[in-house]
Amino acid sequence: MPQIIDGKAISQMIKDECRERVAVLSADGKVPCLAVILVGNDPASTVYVGNKKKACEYIGIKSLSYELPETTTEEELLALIRKLNEDEEVNGILVQLPLPAGINEDTVIKTISPAKDVDGFHPENVGKLCIGQPGFVSCTPAGIIELLKRSNIEIEGKECVIIGRSNIVGKPMSLLMLRENATVTVCHSRTKNLKEVAKRADILIVAIGKPRMITAEYVKEGAVVIDVGIHRLEGKKLCGDVDYDDVAPHTSAITPVPGGVGPMTIAMLMNNCVEGFEKR
Ligand code: NDP
């Protein structure tokens, strides 16, 4: 039987640690403050933003909510970000992605002060990750490192294969695994012989965005499998990029969907907010 990596329990542990840190830090009456900006009314984004606000409340982080209409222009959004960059009370700024057509995401990300970029998407923070300097790290990959470490899974010296090279998951994941001394291979849609490459992995991290694409044929016996994907099937059931029932019996440890990587993203966002406050 594989070890089922419990993202729900581990994320709760991280949130509780954040809550304790905030209680200590806010003894003088000052609390961390996260500004959350939502443009438009995409239903999934509205749910994510709601969950982030709930987590802030639990931990004791003040959250400022900016819900802007779909018709907001890029300049209006940038003006709000610049105002929040200057606001000393605010130590984290989060712009929920994706943004409506007509607003350039790269420009928005670059406008957020790197010191308040709790999502870790600003090129300065990405660059720091690349050269091994401290800075904010993208929440989902940072959460995966916590899942592995807190499940006592050794990373150093292991063959790690990451399927997916997006800026928010695959690429930062590869840098973090490298930092942890894994031997890292990154695969993408042009990779040849994906099954053979994936089968080399002691730790296989899957972030493709294709429901249940990864079957047992891609997995070495006894590998650790981390499934980043999240998809809502008909009937509202959730599944990942990994065919869990097919793959799990061949692994030594695996993350379920839901309850694996998903809850870690918000927990690490909270961790970044508290860290930002500590560094002020
Ligand atoms: P993207 O669509 O940005 O990236 C997908 C990556 O997978 C690309 O690099 C693409 O390659 C690669 N890919 C696509 N098809 C194949 C294939 N057939 N073979 C090999 N590689 C392939 O997705 P994200 O990284 O943003 O997200 C991935 C998944 O993780 C999604 O399901 C998303 O919903 C989920 N997610 C979950 C989060 C969580 O909190 N749990 C957070 C973020 C994402 P190429 O570059 O060549 O196009």
Side-chain angles (χ1 to χ4, degrees):
M1 280 291 283
Q3 174 188 358
I4 313 295
I5 299 174
D6 189 346
K8 227 173 142 184
I10 296 173
S11 67
Q12 187 60 46
M13 222 183 276
I14 292 171
K15 284 192 278 185
D16 286 337
E17 288 164 11
C18 286
R19 196 169 140 125
E20 279 172 29
R21 278 155 71 195
V22 169
V24 173
L25 287 163
S26 58
D28 63 355
K30 287 198 180 121
V31 290
C33 176
L34 173 68
V36 181
I37 306 173
L38 173 65
V39 188
N41 40 24
D42 175 68
S45 294
T46 307
V47 171
Y48 292 145
V49 163
N51 290 341
K52 287 168 188 175
K53 283 194 238 166
K54 259 191 245 160
C56 282
E57 207 173 308
Y58 178 76
I59 288 161
I61 297 171
K62 180 175 174 185
S63 69
L64 302 176
S65 184
Y66 297 87
E67 284 164 25
L68 310 180
E70 185 90 21
T71 50
T72 304
T73 63
E74 184 174 303
E75 203 33 62
E76 284 166 338
L77 176 58
L78 298 184
L80 172 61
I81 294 171
R82 288 191 196 105
K83 194 177 104 198
L84 294 168
N85 282 343
E86 297 300 316
D87 187 336
E88 283 192 6
E89 190 200 3
V90 173
N91 61 283
I93 302 172
L94 182 148
V95 179
Q96 185 64 44
L97 302 179
L99 290 164
I103 301 184
N104 185 313
E105 278 184 11
D106 286 343
T107 311
V108 169
I109 289 168
K110 270 192 272 181
T111 303
I112 298 172
S113 159
K116 299 190 180 186
D117 166 43
V118 282
D119 260 335
F121 294 162
H122 191 285
E124 187 176 311
N125 283 317
V126 178
K128 282 181 169 170
L129 173 62
C130 196
I131 58 173
Q133 286 181 6
F136 287 120
V137 177
S138 179
C139 301
T140 304
I144 292 170
I145 296 290
E146 287 298 317
L147 278 182
L148 292 168
K149 287 189 171 171
R150 291 176 190 242
S151 304
N152 298 316
I153 293 166
E154 207 183 315
I155 304 175
E156 182 160 326
K158 297 287 163 129
E159 285 278 351
C160 174
V161 175
I162 297 160
I163 315 183
R165 58 172 166 181
S166 70
N167 288 342
I168 61 166
V169 187
K171 281 187 200 137
M173 191 73 244
S174 66
L175 294 166
L176 285 174
M177 290 304 273
L178 202 55
R179 193 160 86 179
E180 297 296 331
N181 298 317
T183 302
V184 181
T185 305
V186 183
C187 302
H188 44 79
S189 65
R190 318 285 168 85
T191 297
K192 295 208 168 78
N193 306 321
L194 183 64
K195 283 182 191 165
E196 285 74 13
V197 180
K199 264 199 140 138
R200 294 208 297 256
D202 301 312
I203 301 174
L204 179 64
I205 302 176
V206 186
I208 324 175
K210 302 253 155 73
R212 294 180 178 148
M213 183 182 134
I214 299 304
T215 56
E217 288 178 293
Y218 291 79
V219 179
K220 178 167 82 176
E221 208 60 37
V224 173
V225 174
I226 305 291
D227 187 356
V228 186
I230 184 148
H231 310 276
R232 196 170 287 283
L233 301 171
E234 275 175 44
K236 298 215 157 179
K237 202 173 170 235
L238 293 177
C239 82
D241 290 345
V242 174
D243 185 338
Y244 184 90
D245 292 339
D246 191 43
V247 168
H250 300 278
T251 64
S252 57
I254 185 165
T255 55
V257 177
V261 174
M264 294 303 291
T265 302
I266 288 189
M268 295 314 287
L269 174 71
M270 297 297 114
N271 186 65
N272 280 352
C273 288
V274 179
E275 222 169 77
F277 184 67
E278 284 167 342
K279 279 191 193 139
R280 288 188 330 162

